Amino acid sequence: MDPTPSRHIVERQSRMLNFRVEYRQRSIEVVLEEASTVGDIKTILETELQVPVSKMQLKGWKSGDVSDSTVLRSLHLPKNNSLYVLTPDIAPLASTSQSSAQQGLSNQNYLLVISHREAQRDYSLNFPASKTIQEITLAASGISYPCHHLTVCRRSSPALTVDQTDECTDVHMVSDSEGDDFEDAPEFGVDESEIFGMGSSSCRKSPMMPENSENEGDALLHFTAEFSRRYGDCHPVFYIGSLEAASQEAFYGKARDRKLLAIYLHNDESVLSNVFCSQMMCADSIVSYLSQNFITWAWDVTKEANKARLLTMCTRHFGSVVAQTIRTYKTDQFPLLLIVMGKRTSNEVLNVIQGNTTVDELMMRLMGAMEIFSAQQQEDIKDENEREAREMVKREQDEAYRLSLEADRKKREAQEREEAEQVRQERIKKEQEEEREAIRLSLEQALPPEPKEEGGEPISKLRIRTPSGEFLERLFLGSCKLQVLFDFVASKGYPSDEFKLLTTFPRKNITQLDPAWSLVEAKLFPQETLFLEAKE
């Protein structure tokens, strides 16, 4: 036999691994052998997505960041995996119909200054030029660069009835660009109220959350139903229950089962709400990542009463710092996504994500929070395992001690039972002996007197050998019944139910004869030698 095991190499059949890779609004299925590298995945994605490998960040590995040369087998991956592609240096591609001048602006940012007439407020929003009004990008829409002013006001739709007008009003958006009128925005196939997330609160009669709801679970059910009605069913799974219950679910289970808590705070008064909900919170990659790694809890702070209630809950569960953090944000900075991590001493807000962000940036910040959380979780798992090991040793010691006590108790009880049984047997034996002695005395007293030889009557002289070798001798009248002989033997401690009386030769069992026979009839006259034998 060869002593060197390394000489015998068994070829292992390479497994096939499935990867579901999400990029913005796309999902790519990649199947590779586990002998492939991370770079092989990027090469395939470069062909599918038209994104250079050098500008591609492939995230979602359970073992943290990996290099392009990392072999998939070394990561010990399951058969099915989910990954995300981030391209923070690449803006969404413009349409092929852009002019060369518009293409030059495609990587720039627009500042949209929107004046809300009724509220007498101005909103300054930064958007990449690649943001679309559905099919038309900002760069292709003809608005002035780099700053453009818009005015928003309400107008009643002439096509609506009186009742319908009460429920919904259009948003009238006036542009300052020459030759372009944003009143014609419906030509692009979208209502003006949806262009930049404007007019959501005025066009929807039902609020996201009822005011002063007594039960937090009912309020969250209403929130989820209204969110689905507005933005569709593809959204994060909102935890239905109190903030305390969501915190318990996220922070206080087994260390390996804990998650981050994502608190989504909605405000219908903010112009960013519709964009953030429809483009960020409903993106497939964001929904999938939140569902896998977070407990997502939501609240609507549009109404002051609901906002005050939220601040009270946050102060009670997370301390005044979190509540004060929420207070510092203005309405036009909402919605907010707070990422909270549970710690041993107090809960910590890792990140506050404002509404004016992109899918890639949101994903990167969520993954950054997960990296911090994963490091803390590994420490917690290690501490928990060590604690469980100590507790296991203690439980084993306690169990061994309990079993020892139990064994001592059973041994003591067995000894007590044995002693009690011995006492009982001795008592029974003593009672039996006393009873036998009483019977013996009774029989002895009932025996007729021993006759004398010179009396003239026929006398039978019997000699009886006991099991111990001693001899009993007595004279009996020949007419005496066998029962008298039996009683005599019993009076000497050999009752007929335990011993049998036998003749020597020929061997005959006297105790089987009729007790009413006389000694003469039993042929025990004039003398006979008998012996006693214990019955089996």
Side-chain angles (χ1 to χ4, degrees), residues 411-427:
K411 183 177 180 181
R412 185 172 60 255
E413 290 178 352
Q415 184 176 359
E416 291 175 353
R417 287 195 300 269
E418 184 179 353
E419 292 175 352
E421 179 64 18
Q422 185 177 357
V423 171
R424 190 180 71 86
Q425 292 296 336
E426 290 177 354
R427 184 180 67 253

Side-chain angles (χ1 to χ4, degrees), residues 6 23 35 56 71 80 134 168 213 222 277 280 296 303 351 433 452 463 465 485:
S6 60
Y23 175 62
M56 188 186 304
V71 180
N80 298 308
Q134 290 217 342
C168 181
S213 177
H222 187 283
C277 290
M280 315 299 166
T296 306
K303 302 292 184 182
N351 217 327
E433 290 176 352
K452 296 181 179 180
R463 193 166 182 262
R465 184 166 64 89
L485 174 61

Side-chain angles (χ1 to χ4, degrees), residues 493-513:
Y494 304 99
S496 57
D497 57 344
E498 297 180 15
F499 294 89
K500 51 187 176 181
L501 193 59
L502 305 173
T503 59
T504 55
F505 187 83
R507 183 184 175 90
K508 183 172 62 176
N509 189 352
I510 303 300
T511 51
Q512 293 181 346
L513 301 179

Side-chain angles (χ1 to χ4, degrees), residues 307-459:
K307 184 175 182 180
R309 185 172 178 182
L310 171 73
L311 295 176
T312 301
M313 289 188 290
C314 288
T315 302
R316 182 167 64 248
H317 300 306
F318 306 129
S320 58
V321 176
V322 177
Q324 186 59 35
T325 300
I326 297 174
R327 286 192 182 95
T328 59
Y329 288 94
K330 299 178 182 179
T331 299
D332 54 3
Q333 293 176 301
F334 280 80
L336 301 177
L337 191 62
L338 279 67
I339 308 301
V340 185
M341 181 175 73
K343 302 189 74 175
R344 295 183 182 90
T345 54
S346 62
N347 299 319
E348 176 184 352
V349 179
L350 293 181
N351 217 327
V352 180
I353 304 172
Q354 300 181 36
N356 192 10
T357 185
T358 65
V359 173
D360 281 357
E361 182 182 356
L362 176 57
M363 177 62 75
M364 290 183 68
R365 297 179 73 172
L366 290 177
M367 295 180 73
M370 270 302 299
E371 289 180 2
I372 298 174
F373 170 73
S374 297
Q376 179 65 51
Q377 187 180 37
Q378 292 304 315
E379 292 182 7
D380 292 342
I381 291 175
K382 180 181 178 182
D383 293 344
E384 186 175 74
N385 290 339
E386 291 176 353
R387 183 173 63 255
E388 289 180 350
R390 291 194 300 270
E391 291 176 353
M392 176 63 72
V393 171
K394 185 177 182 302
R395 285 196 299 269
E396 291 175 352
Q397 292 175 343
D398 291 344
E399 180 66 11
Y401 180 67
R402 186 190 68 80
L403 292 175
S404 176
L405 292 178
E406 182 71 12
D408 291 343
R409 183 184 64 80
K410 290 182 178 180
K411 183 177 180 181
R412 185 172 60 255
E413 290 178 352
Q415 184 176 359
E416 291 175 353
R417 287 195 300 269
E418 184 179 353
E419 292 175 352
E421 179 64 18
Q422 185 177 357
V423 171
R424 190 180 71 86
Q425 292 296 336
E426 290 177 354
R427 184 180 67 253
I428 293 175
K429 183 177 180 181
K430 183 179 179 181
E431 291 175 353
Q432 291 176 345
E433 290 176 352
E434 291 176 350
E435 181 179 1
R436 292 176 63 178
E437 181 64 17
I439 294 173
R440 190 190 68 76
L441 291 175
S442 174
L443 292 174
E444 190 175 55
Q445 293 175 1
L447 287 174
E450 185 177 5
K452 296 181 179 180
E453 293 183 6
E454 60 275 8
E457 294 186 34
I459 299 296

Side-chain angles (χ1 to χ4, degrees), residues 207 209-214 303-306 309:
M209 182 175 288
E211 190 173 7
N212 294 324
S213 177
E214 294 183 0
K303 302 292 184 182
E304 285 299 325
N306 287 343
R309 185 172 178 182

